[in-house]
Amino acid sequence: MATDTKTRILEGALDLLRAEAGGAITLEATAKRVGLTKPGLMYHFPTKDALMLAVVDHAAAQWERLLIDHAGQPAEAASPFQRIRAYVEVALTESFDRADFAIYSDAAYRDAYTATWIRRLGPWLALPDDLPEPVRGRLVAARLLADGYWTAAATGVFPAAGRDRAALMAVAQDLLREETAP
């Protein structure tokens, strides 16, 4: 029951960011959004910082679950190509919105939020030091293509046309091709 309530609170907080005019995540607004009293919400998240850290972890955990689903395995079992391919697929095929962007971009201002994203997504984006430079460049280019698409789609600022998604995916897949020795 407590886990269900916590999830409902975290989703309600994200819904505040999705509101028509954009809303701020506060203890009061979140409690009202999910039908709790402020003390009822504070039983689960005693401070705004605790709530925000949990919201960031919730969003990053959703990304991590999507990455595992797309890769078919956890990051530590996947090759660099498989990890970046999963990341590109998630960024280009899943639905994201300004709430996702707001939570992600907030990490630039708070070390604890940054640490959460690094803990959850770092294993997916890390590349081995011994990767040949041309291969590393292609993997980084594919990831940055995905980042750009995701940012434009999530913010709604200059998003790519829907018909261009398949072409972008094809370019990314070309970058992600694993070359075999002759």
Side-chain angles (χ1 to χ4, degrees):
M1 177 71 169
T3 302
D4 290 342
T5 301
K6 283 185 175 183
T7 300
R8 197 175 88 218
I9 291 167
L10 298 173
E11 288 295 323
L14 288 171
D15 285 344
L16 288 170
L17 297 175
R18 290 183 182 104
E20 181 67 30
I25 295 176
T26 66
L27 294 175
E28 295 87 3
T30 303
K32 183 177 178 182
R33 182 78 178 196
V34 298
L36 293 174
T37 62
K38 183 178 175 183
L41 182 137
M42 291 178 73
Y43 172 79
H44 300 283
F45 304 103
T47 64
K48 182 179 177 188
D49 282 343
L51 174 61
M52 290 304 299
L53 191 55
V55 168
V56 170
D57 188 62
H58 181 69
Q62 288 176 331
W63 259 92
E64 188 176 31
R65 280 190 299 277
L66 289 168
L67 291 166
I68 291 169
D69 288 349
H70 280 260
Q73 58 193 328
E76 56 274 4
S79 74
F81 282 94
Q82 292 167 323
R83 292 193 312 266
I84 300 298
R85 184 175 291 112
Y87 183 82
V88 167
E89 289 172 359
V90 169
L92 269 69
T93 65
E94 299 291 336
S95 294
F96 296 100
D97 58 32
R98 64 182 169 198
D100 298 296
F101 181 78
I103 292 302
Y104 180 78
S105 63
D106 226 19
Y109 305 103
R110 301 288 302 270
D111 290 343
Y113 302 168
T114 302
T116 298
W117 283 105
I118 290 170
R119 179 175 46 84
R120 295 279 191 179
L121 270 61
W124 290 94
L125 301 176
L127 297 174
D129 289 334
D130 63 348
L131 215 58
E133 289 304 314
V135 173
R136 174 182 285 286
R138 289 191 357 252
L139 292 176
V140 171
R143 183 190 66 112
L144 293 176
L145 179 151
D147 286 346
Y149 178 87
W150 179 83
T151 300
T155 62
V157 178
F158 301 117
R163 68 177 190 257
D164 295 333
R165 185 186 298 205
L168 289 170
M169 184 63 87
V171 168
Q173 293 299 346
D174 188 48
L175 290 168
L176 292 166
R177 74 185 180 293
E178 295 184 55
E179 296 174 359
T180 55

mmCIF file with all atom_site columns, all heavy atoms in Angstrom, residues 134-146:
data_model
loop_
_atom_site.group_PDB
_atom_site.id
_atom_site.type_symbol
_atom_site.label_atom_id
_atom_site.label_alt_id
_atom_site.label_comp_id
_atom_site.label_asym_id
_atom_site.label_entity_id
_atom_site.label_seq_id
_atom_site.pdbx_PDB_ins_code
_atom_site.Cartn_x
_atom_site.Cartn_y
_atom_site.Cartn_z
_atom_site.occupancy
_atom_site.B_iso_or_equiv
_atom_site.pdbx_formal_charge
_atom_site.auth_seq_id
_atom_site.auth_comp_id
_atom_site.auth_asym_id
_atom_site.auth_atom_id
_atom_site.pdbx_PDB_model_num
ATOM 1  N N   . PRO A 1 134 ? 37.399 5.564  -34.078 1.00 0.00 ? 134 PRO A N   1
ATOM 2  C CA  . PRO A 1 134 ? 36.290 5.684  -35.038 1.00 0.00 ? 134 PRO A CA  1
ATOM 3  C C   . PRO A 1 134 ? 34.994 5.040  -34.515 1.00 0.00 ? 134 PRO A C   1
ATOM 4  O O   . PRO A 1 134 ? 33.898 5.561  -34.746 1.00 0.00 ? 134 PRO A O   1
ATOM 5  C CB  . PRO A 1 134 ? 36.794 4.951  -36.284 1.00 0.00 ? 134 PRO A CB  1
ATOM 6  C CG  . PRO A 1 134 ? 38.277 4.946  -36.155 1.00 0.00 ? 134 PRO A CG  1
ATOM 7  C CD  . PRO A 1 134 ? 38.559 4.903  -34.680 1.00 0.00 ? 134 PRO A CD  1
ATOM 8  N N   . VAL A 1 135 ? 35.121 3.932  -33.812 1.00 0.00 ? 135 VAL A N   1
ATOM 9  C CA  . VAL A 1 135 ? 33.939 3.269  -33.242 1.00 0.00 ? 135 VAL A CA  1
ATOM 10 C C   . VAL A 1 135 ? 33.356 4.140  -32.139 1.00 0.00 ? 135 VAL A C   1
ATOM 11 O O   . VAL A 1 135 ? 32.143 4.359  -32.078 1.00 0.00 ? 135 VAL A O   1
ATOM 12 C CB  . VAL A 1 135 ? 34.303 1.860  -32.713 1.00 0.00 ? 135 VAL A CB  1
ATOM 13 C CG1 . VAL A 1 135 ? 33.135 1.239  -31.960 1.00 0.00 ? 135 VAL A CG1 1
ATOM 14 C CG2 . VAL A 1 135 ? 34.757 0.968  -33.855 1.00 0.00 ? 135 VAL A CG2 1
ATOM 15 N N   . ARG A 1 136 ? 34.200 4.629  -31.260 1.00 0.00 ? 136 ARG A N   1
ATOM 16 C CA  . ARG A 1 136 ? 33.755 5.518  -30.180 1.00 0.00 ? 136 ARG A CA  1
ATOM 17 C C   . ARG A 1 136 ? 33.027 6.726  -30.773 1.00 0.00 ? 136 ARG A C   1
ATOM 18 O O   . ARG A 1 136 ? 31.955 7.106  -30.301 1.00 0.00 ? 136 ARG A O   1
ATOM 19 C CB  . ARG A 1 136 ? 34.951 5.977  -29.358 1.00 0.00 ? 136 ARG A CB  1
ATOM 20 C CG  . ARG A 1 136 ? 34.621 7.009  -28.290 1.00 0.00 ? 136 ARG A CG  1
ATOM 21 C CD  . ARG A 1 136 ? 35.859 7.468  -27.545 1.00 0.00 ? 136 ARG A CD  1
ATOM 22 N NE  . ARG A 1 136 ? 36.337 6.492  -26.598 1.00 0.00 ? 136 ARG A NE  1
ATOM 23 C CZ  . ARG A 1 136 ? 35.753 6.215  -25.428 1.00 0.00 ? 136 ARG A CZ  1
ATOM 24 N NH1 . ARG A 1 136 ? 34.660 6.844  -25.085 1.00 0.00 ? 136 ARG A NH1 1
ATOM 25 N NH2 . ARG A 1 136 ? 36.260 5.326  -24.623 1.00 0.00 ? 136 ARG A NH2 1
ATOM 26 N N   . GLY A 1 137 ? 33.590 7.315  -31.815 1.00 0.00 ? 137 GLY A N   1
ATOM 27 C CA  . GLY A 1 137 ? 32.971 8.478  -32.446 1.00 0.00 ? 137 GLY A CA  1
ATOM 28 C C   . GLY A 1 137 ? 31.576 8.171  -32.978 1.00 0.00 ? 137 GLY A C   1
ATOM 29 O O   . GLY A 1 137 ? 30.663 8.978  -32.826 1.00 0.00 ? 137 GLY A O   1
ATOM 30 N N   . ARG A 1 138 ? 31.419 7.005  -33.603 1.00 0.00 ? 138 ARG A N   1
ATOM 31 C CA  . ARG A 1 138 ? 30.103 6.623  -34.138 1.00 0.00 ? 138 ARG A CA  1
ATOM 32 C C   . ARG A 1 138 ? 29.095 6.418  -33.009 1.00 0.00 ? 138 ARG A C   1
ATOM 33 O O   . ARG A 1 138 ? 27.931 6.831  -33.125 1.00 0.00 ? 138 ARG A O   1
ATOM 34 C CB  . ARG A 1 138 ? 30.219 5.369  -35.000 1.00 0.00 ? 138 ARG A CB  1
ATOM 35 C CG  . ARG A 1 138 ? 30.934 5.635  -36.318 1.00 0.00 ? 138 ARG A CG  1
ATOM 36 C CD  . ARG A 1 138 ? 30.877 4.520  -37.358 1.00 0.00 ? 138 ARG A CD  1
ATOM 37 N NE  . ARG A 1 138 ? 30.232 3.308  -36.992 1.00 0.00 ? 138 ARG A NE  1
ATOM 38 C CZ  . ARG A 1 138 ? 30.854 2.135  -36.747 1.00 0.00 ? 138 ARG A CZ  1
ATOM 39 N NH1 . ARG A 1 138 ? 32.170 2.052  -36.829 1.00 0.00 ? 138 ARG A NH1 1
ATOM 40 N NH2 . ARG A 1 138 ? 30.172 1.055  -36.449 1.00 0.00 ? 138 ARG A NH2 1
ATOM 41 N N   . LEU A 1 139 ? 29.514 5.774  -31.929 1.00 0.00 ? 139 LEU A N   1
ATOM 42 C CA  . LEU A 1 139 ? 28.604 5.534  -30.811 1.00 0.00 ? 139 LEU A CA  1
ATOM 43 C C   . LEU A 1 139 ? 28.201 6.846  -30.140 1.00 0.00 ? 139 LEU A C   1
ATOM 44 O O   . LEU A 1 139 ? 27.025 7.054  -29.811 1.00 0.00 ? 139 LEU A O   1
ATOM 45 C CB  . LEU A 1 139 ? 29.234 4.576  -29.790 1.00 0.00 ? 139 LEU A CB  1
ATOM 46 C CG  . LEU A 1 139 ? 29.429 3.140  -30.274 1.00 0.00 ? 139 LEU A CG  1
ATOM 47 C CD1 . LEU A 1 139 ? 30.150 2.312  -29.211 1.00 0.00 ? 139 LEU A CD1 1
ATOM 48 C CD2 . LEU A 1 139 ? 28.110 2.488  -30.645 1.00 0.00 ? 139 LEU A CD2 1
ATOM 49 N N   . VAL A 1 140 ? 29.163 7.734  -29.961 1.00 0.00 ? 140 VAL A N   1
ATOM 50 C CA  . VAL A 1 140 ? 28.852 9.040  -29.373 1.00 0.00 ? 140 VAL A CA  1
ATOM 51 C C   . VAL A 1 140 ? 27.943 9.840  -30.309 1.00 0.00 ? 140 VAL A C   1
ATOM 52 O O   . VAL A 1 140 ? 26.988 10.484 -29.862 1.00 0.00 ? 140 VAL A O   1
ATOM 53 C CB  . VAL A 1 140 ? 30.141 9.819  -29.035 1.00 0.00 ? 140 VAL A CB  1
ATOM 54 C CG1 . VAL A 1 140 ? 29.832 11.262 -28.640 1.00 0.00 ? 140 VAL A CG1 1
ATOM 55 C CG2 . VAL A 1 140 ? 30.908 9.110  -27.911 1.00 0.00 ? 140 VAL A CG2 1
ATOM 56 N N   . ALA A 1 141 ? 28.193 9.792  -31.601 1.00 0.00 ? 141 ALA A N   1
ATOM 57 C CA  . ALA A 1 141 ? 27.345 10.509 -32.563 1.00 0.00 ? 141 ALA A CA  1
ATOM 58 C C   . ALA A 1 141 ? 25.912 9.980  -32.521 1.00 0.00 ? 141 ALA A C   1
ATOM 59 O O   . ALA A 1 141 ? 24.951 10.767 -32.545 1.00 0.00 ? 141 ALA A O   1
ATOM 60 C CB  . ALA A 1 141 ? 27.922 10.383 -33.974 1.00 0.00 ? 141 ALA A CB  1
ATOM 61 N N   . ALA A 1 142 ? 25.739 8.675  -32.440 1.00 0.00 ? 142 ALA A N   1
ATOM 62 C CA  . ALA A 1 142 ? 24.394 8.091  -32.363 1.00 0.00 ? 142 ALA A CA  1
ATOM 63 C C   . ALA A 1 142 ? 23.688 8.541  -31.082 1.00 0.00 ? 142 ALA A C   1
ATOM 64 O O   . ALA A 1 142 ? 22.511 8.900  -31.095 1.00 0.00 ? 142 ALA A O   1
ATOM 65 C CB  . ALA A 1 142 ? 24.468 6.569  -32.429 1.00 0.00 ? 142 ALA A CB  1
ATOM 66 N N   . ARG A 1 143 ? 24.418 8.546  -29.973 1.00 0.00 ? 143 ARG A N   1
ATOM 67 C CA  . ARG A 1 143 ? 23.824 8.978  -28.705 1.00 0.00 ? 143 ARG A CA  1
ATOM 68 C C   . ARG A 1 143 ? 23.428 10.444 -28.767 1.00 0.00 ? 143 ARG A C   1
ATOM 69 O O   . ARG A 1 143 ? 22.336 10.827 -28.332 1.00 0.00 ? 143 ARG A O   1
ATOM 70 C CB  . ARG A 1 143 ? 24.782 8.765  -27.540 1.00 0.00 ? 143 ARG A CB  1
ATOM 71 C CG  . ARG A 1 143 ? 24.136 9.153  -26.203 1.00 0.00 ? 143 ARG A CG  1
ATOM 72 C CD  . ARG A 1 143 ? 25.130 9.176  -25.095 1.00 0.00 ? 143 ARG A CD  1
ATOM 73 N NE  . ARG A 1 143 ? 26.098 10.217 -25.300 1.00 0.00 ? 143 ARG A NE  1
ATOM 74 C CZ  . ARG A 1 143 ? 26.205 11.305 -24.539 1.00 0.00 ? 143 ARG A CZ  1
ATOM 75 N NH1 . ARG A 1 143 ? 25.416 11.483 -23.526 1.00 0.00 ? 143 ARG A NH1 1
ATOM 76 N NH2 . ARG A 1 143 ? 27.115 12.205 -24.787 1.00 0.00 ? 143 ARG A NH2 1
ATOM 77 N N   . LEU A 1 144 ? 24.292 11.283 -29.321 1.00 0.00 ? 144 LEU A N   1
ATOM 78 C CA  . LEU A 1 144 ? 23.972 12.708 -29.396 1.00 0.00 ? 144 LEU A CA  1
ATOM 79 C C   . LEU A 1 144 ? 22.823 12.980 -30.362 1.00 0.00 ? 144 LEU A C   1
ATOM 80 O O   . LEU A 1 144 ? 22.020 13.892 -30.126 1.00 0.00 ? 144 LEU A O   1
ATOM 81 C CB  . LEU A 1 144 ? 25.219 13.513 -29.758 1.00 0.00 ? 144 LEU A CB  1
ATOM 82 C CG  . LEU A 1 144 ? 26.306 13.516 -28.671 1.00 0.00 ? 144 LEU A CG  1
ATOM 83 C CD1 . LEU A 1 144 ? 27.549 14.251 -29.167 1.00 0.00 ? 144 LEU A CD1 1
ATOM 84 C CD2 . LEU A 1 144 ? 25.796 14.100 -27.370 1.00 0.00 ? 144 LEU A CD2 1
ATOM 85 N N   . LEU A 1 145 ? 22.715 12.205 -31.438 1.00 0.00 ? 145 LEU A N   1
ATOM 86 C CA  . LEU A 1 145 ? 21.556 12.304 -32.327 1.00 0.00 ? 145 LEU A CA  1
ATOM 87 C C   . LEU A 1 145 ? 20.284 12.011 -31.520 1.00 0.00 ? 145 LEU A C   1
ATOM 88 O O   . LEU A 1 145 ? 19.301 12.743 -31.612 1.00 0.00 ? 145 LEU A O   1
ATOM 89 C CB  . LEU A 1 145 ? 21.695 11.308 -33.478 1.00 0.00 ? 145 LEU A CB  1
ATOM 90 C CG  . LEU A 1 145 ? 20.571 11.252 -34.497 1.00 0.00 ? 145 LEU A CG  1
ATOM 91 C CD1 . LEU A 1 145 ? 21.128 10.825 -35.839 1.00 0.00 ? 145 LEU A CD1 1
ATOM 92 C CD2 . LEU A 1 145 ? 19.462 10.316 -34.087 1.00 0.00 ? 145 LEU A CD2 1
ATOM 93 N N   . ALA A 1 146 ? 20.327 10.962 -30.712 1.00 0.00 ? 146 ALA A N   1
ATOM 94 C CA  . ALA A 1 146 ? 19.173 10.597 -29.887 1.00 0.00 ? 146 ALA A CA  1
ATOM 95 C C   . ALA A 1 146 ? 18.864 11.690 -28.866 1.00 0.00 ? 146 ALA A C   1
ATOM 96 O O   . ALA A 1 146 ? 17.696 12.036 -28.645 1.00 0.00 ? 146 ALA A O   1
ATOM 97 C CB  . ALA A 1 146 ? 19.431 9.265  -29.190 1.00 0.00 ? 146 ALA A CB  1
#
